[in-house]
Amino acid sequence: MSAFDPSEMPARRNKALITGASRGIGRAIAERFAAAGYDLILTCLNNEKTLQQLCASLADRHGILAQPFCGDLGEYETVQRLFAPIKSLDVLVNNAGISHIGLLSDMTPKQWRRLMATNLDACFYTCKLAVPLMVQRRSGRIINISSVWGSAGASMEAAYSASKGALNSLTRALAKELAPSGVPVNAIACGVIDTDMNRCFSEEEIQALIQEIPADRLGRPDEVGELALSLANSPTYLTGQIITLDGGFL
């Protein structure tokens, strides 16, 4: 597991922690925040080399500090190690997530537990440790990356839908807890975004999905990154919202 020293990060720049940042939506969010001048702490589960290369590239191109951390955030002890050296944090983006496609009756308890640990438990752990850092300064933003399936539900993705529905509820409830402290909590409910997570679908299935999307295309990861950065800069009165980014799908 990679370690980092946040003391190297200049106090004058904002700091963002982005989970699941080695590819897809998380990588696009990291790109947008780096371009905006944020120092970054980026995490992934297994793609340590890819994450290290991304950090080096972002630091070189944008003149910021980007630190990698590789580990399973579905385990509280790992998240404790991640946060141990962090003294301040301006933005937490909970993006790490996995999917499972198949009948619920065929899903094993181990598969269910793995999905919930990644998609929901990890968000609880990071919020638990980030909140005191933000509340003591009465400043900060929490942005959770959710899905339209958390609201509508998806056949063959019952567990994934359940995890995102719970994430939406957590977002709304935590927003009410933290509003008096001036710390907004919002979520982005993504539609079908063109990422590796959707490579499991055939071209025919993708085209069928596109036909159901009024925008007539898949979403792009950079569009999620742009919206996440907008939420990081939004008024603190905007909180507890599940903002849907789906091309008009729902």
Side-chain angles (χ1 to χ4, degrees):
M1 179 168 52
S2 300
F4 65 90
D5 182 5
S7 64
E8 297 177 1
M9 294 183 168
R12 68 180 181 278
R13 288 200 293 256
N14 287 332
K15 302 171 191 174
L17 167 59
I18 303 168
T19 70
S22 64
R23 60 180 184 169
I25 290 173
R27 184 185 184 99
I29 294 172
E31 292 274 2
R32 295 294 294 180
F33 274 76
Y38 279 77
D39 285 330
L40 302 175
I41 302 164
L42 307 180
T43 82
C44 73
L45 176 60
N46 294 315
N47 299 324
E48 184 170 9
K49 183 176 180 180
T50 300
L51 189 66
Q52 290 174 339
Q53 291 172 342
L54 174 62
C55 286
S57 174
L58 293 176
D60 181 62
R61 285 185 286 127
H62 300 291
I64 53 97
L65 289 172
Q67 303 283 356
F69 181 94
C70 190
D72 185 357
L73 302 190
E75 298 177 352
Y76 185 49
E77 294 77 10
T78 301
V79 181
Q80 285 180 306
R81 288 194 292 271
L82 167 64
F83 272 84
I86 300 176
K87 304 306 180 186
S88 66
L89 188 65
D90 298 286
V91 179
L92 167 64
V93 181
N94 284 304
N95 168 73
I98 58 175
S99 64
H100 178 90
I101 299 176
L103 293 171
L104 183 69
S105 57
D106 292 336
M107 189 177 194
T108 67
K110 183 177 181 180
Q111 289 171 324
W112 171 276
R113 188 62 254 151
R114 176 70 260 159
L115 186 145
M116 290 298 172
T118 302
N119 293 6
L120 186 59
D121 295 358
C123 182
F124 160 59
Y125 298 149
T126 56
C127 287
K128 173 180 171 59
L129 298 179
V131 163
L133 299 175
M134 295 179 177
V135 168
Q136 70 182 3
R137 298 171 55 238
R138 300 185 64 84
S139 176
R141 299 285 195 283
I142 296 175
I143 303 167
N144 298 322
I145 305 302
S146 185
S147 167
V148 293
W149 302 138
S151 299
S155 176
M156 305 290 285
E157 295 189 64
Y160 180 79
S161 299
S163 71
K164 294 303 184 177
L167 184 61
N168 290 346
S169 293
L170 175 61
T171 297
R172 295 187 183 99
L174 186 59
K176 292 181 178 180
E177 285 188 24
L178 298 183
S181 298
V183 178
V185 185
N186 293 291
I188 300 173
C190 298
V192 186
I193 308 298
D194 189 10
T195 67
D196 289 343
M197 184 178 286
N198 293 316
R199 299 292 184 262
C200 59
F201 297 113
S202 67
E203 182 60 29
E204 182 179 354
E205 290 170 327
I206 290 293
Q207 290 305 315
L209 277 171
I210 290 175
Q211 289 178 10
E212 297 182 38
I213 302 171
D216 199 32
R217 65 175 176 85
L218 302 183
R220 300 191 311 271
D222 67 278
E223 292 175 307
V224 186
E226 184 175 349
L227 180 54
L229 183 61
S230 295
L231 285 175
N233 295 320
S234 65
T236 59
Y237 205 63
L238 177 64
T239 190
Q241 302 306 302
I242 313 300
I243 300 171
T244 302
L245 183 69
D246 68 353
F249 181 71
L250 290 185

